[in-house]
Amino acid sequence: MINSPLEDIEAAALQLAPADRAKLAERLLISLDEDDEILASWVEEAERRGDAYERGEMEAIDFDESIARLKAKLAAAA
């Protein structure tokens, strides 16, 4: 099965370091040319988290681990 260009780009992006993925996400969001408060807030938050990660104040976790933690919290709250 042949991957689409989007799938190839996504796979390559997921290999980037978390800080680089945050920068890429910021650039992609800005490229949508949406000038609203919500988008600006998300970009600001992504920058804040990327900077905190680079300073060693925040750790990165794998996506699957993050989802597993969330599911565990939801199950415990139920």
Side-chain angles (χ1 to χ4, degrees):
M1 184 172 172
I2 298 174
N3 287 346
S4 71
L6 177 60
E7 290 170 324
D8 291 337
I9 292 168
E10 179 184 10
L14 290 173
Q15 297 301 311
L16 296 171
D20 290 335
R21 288 197 316 264
K23 288 177 185 176
L24 176 59
E26 175 189 358
R27 290 179 184 168
L28 290 172
L29 287 171
I30 290 170
S31 75
L32 295 175
D33 199 28
E34 293 181 8
D35 187 21
D36 63 82
E37 269 184 56
I38 295 172
L39 178 58
S41 294
W42 277 112
V43 169
E44 184 179 318
E45 180 66 12
E47 288 175 346
R48 185 188 69 74
R49 290 181 186 199
D51 291 344
Y53 175 80
E54 288 176 350
R55 289 189 306 268
E57 298 169 357
M58 178 182 283
E59 69 178 57
I61 61 170
D62 180 73
F63 174 78
D64 292 330
E65 182 181 342
S66 176
I67 295 300
R69 287 182 185 182
L70 179 60
K71 286 180 179 179
K73 282 184 182 180
L74 292 173

